[in-house]
Amino acid sequence: MSAGDVADDLREELSARQVDLVRVTYRLIATRGIRRLSLQEIADAAGVSKALLLYHFGRKEALVLATMRWVLVSAERHIRRAIDGARTPDEAIDAMVDAIFTSAEENLRFYRTQLDLLDHALDQRDDHFERLSLSYRTIVNALYEEVVSRGVRAGSFQARDVAEAATVLRAIVDGLFLQWLQEARPADAHSRYRDVCKRAIMAYLRDPGG
Amino acid sequence: MSAGDVADDLREELSARQVDLVRVTYRLIATRGIRRLSLQEIADAAGVSKALLLYHFGRKEALVLATMRWVLVSAERHIRRAIDGARTPDEAIDAMVDAIFTSAEENLRFYRTQLDLLDHALDQRDDHFERLSLSYRTIVNALYEEVVSRGVRAGSFQARDVAEAATVLRAIVDGLFLQWLQEARPADAHSRYRDVCKRAIMAYLRDPGG
DNA sequence: TCCGGCTGTCTGACCGGTCAGTCAGGAGCC
DNA sequence: GGCTCCTGACTGACCGGTCAGACAGCCGGA
């Protein structure tokens, strides 16, 4: 699969009205999770009728899919900007982790959405979600690989296999978020997890001889 | 919270019949996820009536809870045995990861269940699932801490903070499983992820001076 | 040995509620 | 009139949970 195909999978044309509705949907995901979120609840929150959602998106699944696409595109852009602005490999890691750990509120929404996406993707019946999940994973892994390989070339990082290192970085980030989500008071623990994440990645990548 | 409290949360008395039903339920989770699994489907798979499930467990939630408890207790015992049999810190990591990466089929079931547990735990309304999730997390983290601190005392591992290292180990394991779950052909990738897991943990813990 | 009552296990039929999706039609605008 | 945007009322499917009662085994008494 080429990068073009992946990007195509994420690209989508949404009208201004649709973006409004997608935004409302996204805001609600954190509290209930998509599965428990009825169209009626979304409609109420948006101040419109339930039928309007179906008018604009046809099916609930399409609304959910559009919401996820919208979120993932934003996330990718956000991380991309962060690493592009960094001048050294260490700075890139720092900026990237900062870009990922934005705020407790935002991360709660984002990872809840990610979990919902995974849930849908694991349902093999649903090809759309599976492909969306794959697209996002491919894109993000490429970002991680870029950061690692820059560091390896600069002699700051050690990695026997850049792709594997990217996978591990991804695992550290996602795994920490999984635990963070379960904290009794996520907001209080947010900055601590961000620091743990930075230290863990550095410990993993740091060249002992460097 | 003392270790006793945690263990109490996991302990439960199940009749032989209940264990039968729990086993059937667990077997079905991998394919559909608990949420999409109706009592009728479980009953059909078990060859009994739906009403029987309610007779033995009262509510669907209780059946799900019992299934999760049963699975988590088994998992904890399994890991515990693995690390107890190891003679060196490196061997302990190796045995532990092997104990976690049992087989593609089993891991699919287990992590699907974990995701379902997380999903329920994030629904703040549901105190039972939140506490079960906490109990399991506490127990597993203690196991990880034990392995790390043994290695630190033996001079094999380096860790500025044992609890933090345990968190990171957990993140690596869980994060890798998250990605493994999304692989196109999980069965084929299983042993590769297991090896990546071992290497990642070793790279993270390895004392550069050792 | 037979009988009547009791208990624990199990079931089919049914109920109430929820929810995605349909449809006929209204309001404003060109 | 025709178009887009929008709505309230409705439908059909599904699902968790209830309930009255069936059935088998057991126990104590005659």
Side-chain angles (χ1 to χ4, degrees), chain B residues 13-156:
Chain B
E13 55 301 323
L14 290 179
S15 69
R17 197 72 172 103
Q18 282 179 313
V19 171
D20 287 346
L21 301 173
V22 155
R23 255 191 254 264
V24 172
T25 304
Y26 182 49
R27 211 181 314 135
L28 288 178
I29 287 179
T31 55
R32 318 253 300 123
I34 286 178
R35 176 135 275 140
R36 303 176 208 251
L37 203 57
S38 69
L39 288 175
Q40 192 60 60
E41 283 176 280
I42 301 172
D44 289 348
V48 299
S49 73
K50 187 184 68 171
L52 184 68
L53 299 175
L54 278 319
Y55 170 74
H56 278 296
F57 292 96
R59 293 167 305 149
K60 181 187 183 185
E61 187 191 46
L63 168 60
V64 171
L65 209 49
T67 304
M68 287 176 172
R69 279 213 191 91
W70 184 80
V71 171
L72 296 182
V73 167
S74 309
E76 192 247 337
R77 263 202 303 260
H78 188 62
I79 299 176
R80 158 64 55 195
R81 266 199 302 268
I83 65 175
D84 280 352
R87 320 198 115 251
T88 67
D90 284 40
E91 213 180 294
I93 294 289
D94 201 67
M96 192 181 72
V97 174
D98 282 341
I100 295 170
F101 284 79
T102 47
S103 73
E105 201 188 352
E106 170 57 25
N107 285 144
L108 218 56
R109 270 203 281 266
F110 183 71
Y111 272 88
R112 182 79 195 215
T113 308
Q114 288 260 82
L115 285 176
D116 280 334
L117 172 57
L118 176 59
D119 186 55
H120 278 91
L122 288 182
D123 241 19
Q124 44 268 52
R125 283 185 312 233
D126 231 324
D127 197 30
H128 296 108
F129 289 98
E130 203 176 331
R131 279 180 42 200
L132 176 60
S133 169
L134 175 63
S135 299
Y136 182 65
R137 205 148 39 93
T138 307
I139 289 175
V140 171
N141 271 32
L143 289 177
Y144 281 38
E145 276 188 40
E146 194 182 317
V147 171
V148 172
S149 70
R150 268 212 273 166
V152 169
R153 276 200 305 274
S156 311

Side-chain angles (χ1 to χ4, degrees), chain A residues 31-32 35-36 112 115 118-120 122-125 133 137 141 160 164 167-168 170-172 174-176 178-179 181-183 193 196 199-200 203-204 208, chain B residues 31-32 35-36 112 115 118-120 122-125 133 137 141 160 164 167-168 170-172 174-176 178-179 181-183 193 196 199-200 203-204 208:
Chain A
T31 54
R32 316 255 298 126
R35 179 129 262 140
R36 302 176 207 251
R112 182 79 195 217
L115 285 176
L118 175 58
D119 185 57
H120 279 90
L122 289 182
D123 241 18
Q124 44 267 50
R125 284 183 313 230
S133 170
R137 205 148 38 93
N141 272 31
R160 59 183 284 281
E164 177 174 322
T167 301
V168 174
R170 186 91 203 274
I172 291 173
D174 290 352
L176 285 176
L178 237 43
Q179 290 178 72
L181 280 173
Q182 293 172 79
E183 286 284 333
Y193 273 83
V196 170
R199 279 195 293 267
Y204 173 72
Chain B
T31 55
R32 318 253 300 123
R35 176 135 275 140
R36 303 176 208 251
R112 182 79 195 215
L115 285 176
L118 176 59
D119 186 55
H120 278 91
L122 288 182
D123 241 19
Q124 44 268 52
R125 283 185 312 233
S133 169
R137 205 148 39 93
N141 271 32
R160 59 183 285 282
E164 177 174 323
T167 300
V168 173
R170 186 93 203 274
I172 291 174
D174 290 352
L176 285 176
L178 235 43
Q179 289 177 71
L181 280 173
Q182 294 172 79
E183 285 284 332
Y193 272 84
V196 170
R199 279 195 293 268
Y204 173 72

